[in-house]
Amino acid sequence: MAAIAASVTSPDDDAFVAAWLAAADRHMRGAEDAEKAGHTAHARGHYLRAASFYEVAIHVLYGTPVDRRLSEAFDRLTKAFDRAMSLEGAEALSIPFDGHTMPGYFLRADGAAAGEKRPVVICVNGYDATMADMYLAQAIDACRWGYHCVLFDGPGQGSMLVRDGLALVPDWERVVTPVVDAALERGDVDPDKVVLQGWSLGGYLAARAATAEHRLAACILDPPLWSMFEGMPRLVRHLGLSEKAVAALPEISDEDEATLMKVIDASPGLRWKIVQRGFWVNGVVDLRGYMASCATYTLDGRAGEIRCPTLATRAEDDLLAAGAEEFLGRLTCPTTLVRFGALEGAGDHCELQNRWLANQRILDWLDDIFA
């Protein structure tokens, strides 16, 4: 991956996209050749790498109208991941939601016989990751620990966003309830041991779902997020908005909106996070709409309804995890805080550089909960 990144010598996004698409295509060809030759494990590894590389390529293309290259690469990403899951023996799921179908997968715990009841971990994604990310970062270890696992795309995520154009929704309990229904319809899921695990923005979405979905035996928030709007006042203050204007948020004047957009448009990073990703995922067309939308994603008045044991992570260098202790202090259910440090290689957002350590501590906690 470092070699691919180093090969992109132009600052132009098109060169970046082309390099990663070419690398992903090479893995697809390798996967198809290996599968034809009967080398299943080899093929699965190539398919997963292809899916990951396609995802890297499409990130810079986020936004509306949807770039043709993004749509085509997402189709190839989906094909690669679907083949990997088929070779893994995973079962494809089609879960109803508001007249749409949420695609997903059920992965059986390692060593579990057909029909054997086991606990299940339902994984909730964040703002811009894919099911392939959740599989690699969470599901593999969960299955090795003896847990069944469910992966799915909800509104504003994966195919629901790219193909169906369905934006994110704040009331994530509406999303999770049909997923829990689908899991409990199976004969191999222990109905008393259903776990919801959210990472990144999923740390809000899973918590929100747990306020109303009371069939959960445990909830994992990695990290916990009280509101999508919480960091907005700090950001716009830093970008030059007056204290009076900050106090009026999420309402914003035309003049202040124009001032902020000049700063945002001048910063490729901010433009990607807010305009390309934020506007698209939240289903809005301007900064005023984005702020209003973000303000609806909150646990205010609802957090006391979370009843199941809840674990929250606090990675040392992750600003989004900085409020983990305060978050847990506002809950009334049994809570556990797990800290991760930079010296462990797990101090970043969602402990991405050491997911094995994160999974080890999270899954050991689950083992203790169910002991």
Side-chain angles (χ1 to χ4, degrees):
M1 294 180 71
I4 301 167
S7 74
V8 183
T9 57
S10 168
D12 183 71
D13 285 348
D14 290 345
F16 177 93
V17 172
W20 285 97
L21 288 179
D25 286 341
R26 288 195 294 272
H27 278 294
M28 279 293 281
R29 290 192 294 272
E32 289 163 354
D33 289 344
E35 191 172 2
K36 288 176 184 176
H39 301 304
T40 302
H42 184 181
R44 186 169 61 246
H46 269 307
Y47 280 128
L48 288 171
R49 285 165 176 79
S52 296
F53 286 15
Y54 284 129
E55 183 186 359
V56 174
I58 67 176
H59 262 69
V60 298
L61 299 174
Y62 266 43
T64 52
V66 178
D67 192 295
R68 174 186 55 79
R69 293 169 297 170
L70 187 153
S71 295
E72 293 176 353
F74 186 81
D75 286 344
R76 283 181 275 175
L77 184 165
T78 302
K79 178 182 177 182
F81 187 62
D82 286 350
R83 287 305 305 149
M85 292 296 93
S86 177
L87 294 175
E88 182 70 26
E91 297 179 42
L93 301 175
S94 296
I95 305 166
F97 175 78
D98 282 6
H100 297 264
T101 297
M102 297 189 292
Y105 278 100
F106 180 89
L107 293 111
R108 186 180 298 157
D110 288 9
E116 181 181 348
K117 273 188 168 60
R118 293 285 185 94
V120 65
V121 176
I122 298 172
C123 297
V124 176
N125 229 329
Y127 231 153
D128 50 38
T130 64
M131 281 195 278
D133 290 317
M134 291 195 295
Y135 172 74
L136 293 166
Q138 301 173 38
I140 291 176
D141 281 341
C143 291
R144 285 175 179 165
W145 249 261
Y147 293 84
H148 295 322
C149 202
V150 170
L151 310 175
F152 73 99
D153 282 336
Q157 300 171 335
S159 64
M160 297 286 283
L161 177 67
V162 177
R163 292 175 176 168
D164 293 2
L166 200 63
L168 197 69
V169 298
D171 48 342
W172 205 253
E173 62 274 16
R174 288 199 300 119
V175 179
V176 164
T177 289
V179 180
V180 174
D181 288 343
L184 293 183
E185 286 172 0
R186 306 177 58 90
D188 52 2
V189 167
D190 186 333
D192 296 323
K193 296 180 179 179
V194 177
V195 180
L196 194 63
Q197 177 170 353
W199 71 337
S200 196
L201 181 62
Y204 162 79
L205 300 175
R208 172 62 190 255
T211 66
E213 176 49 78
H214 297 308
R215 291 173 292 179
L216 302 176
C219 186
I220 298 157
L221 311 175
D222 182 21
L225 299 174
W226 191 268
S227 164
M228 192 188 290
F229 185 75
E230 266 189 332
M232 196 70 72
R234 183 173 62 251
L235 171 63
V236 297
R237 185 181 292 113
H238 175 73
L239 297 182
L241 212 61
S242 70
E243 287 301 323
K244 181 179 179 181
V246 170
L249 293 176
E251 297 296 325
I252 186 171
S253 70
D254 292 344
E255 181 181 356
D256 285 335
E257 182 179 23
T259 298
L260 288 175
M261 283 307 303
K262 285 182 181 178
V263 179
I264 291 168
D265 284 334
S267 167
L270 283 176
R271 177 170 175 76
W272 184 84
K273 289 179 181 177
I274 296 175
V275 178
Q276 292 179 240
R277 181 183 68 172
F279 288 9
W280 185 29
V281 174
N282 284 56
V284 300
V285 297
D286 55 27
L287 188 61
R288 177 178 285 109
Y290 182 60
M291 289 188 176
S293 174
C294 288
T296 66
Y297 290 77
T298 180
L299 294 179
D300 286 351
R302 302 185 62 91
E305 296 302 314
I306 299 177
R307 301 173 186 173
C308 61
T310 298
L311 177 146
T313 63
R314 171 65 168 99
E316 181 179 1
D317 298 326
D318 182 9
L319 291 177
L320 292 179
E325 293 95 333
E326 180 184 355
F327 182 106
L328 292 183
R330 298 162 82 174
L331 303 186
T332 56
C333 60
T335 62
T336 300
L337 178 67
V338 179
R339 297 177 181 274
F340 295 94
L343 290 177
E344 300 172 304
D348 55 338
H349 184 54
C350 295
E351 307 80 43
L352 283 175
Q353 300 303 311
N354 195 348
R355 280 303 303 178
W356 179 86
L357 179 66
N359 290 334
Q360 176 252 304
R361 292 179 181 170
I362 288 168
L363 295 167
D364 283 354
W365 175 80
L366 271 184
D367 286 348
D368 292 341
I369 289 290
F370 293 146

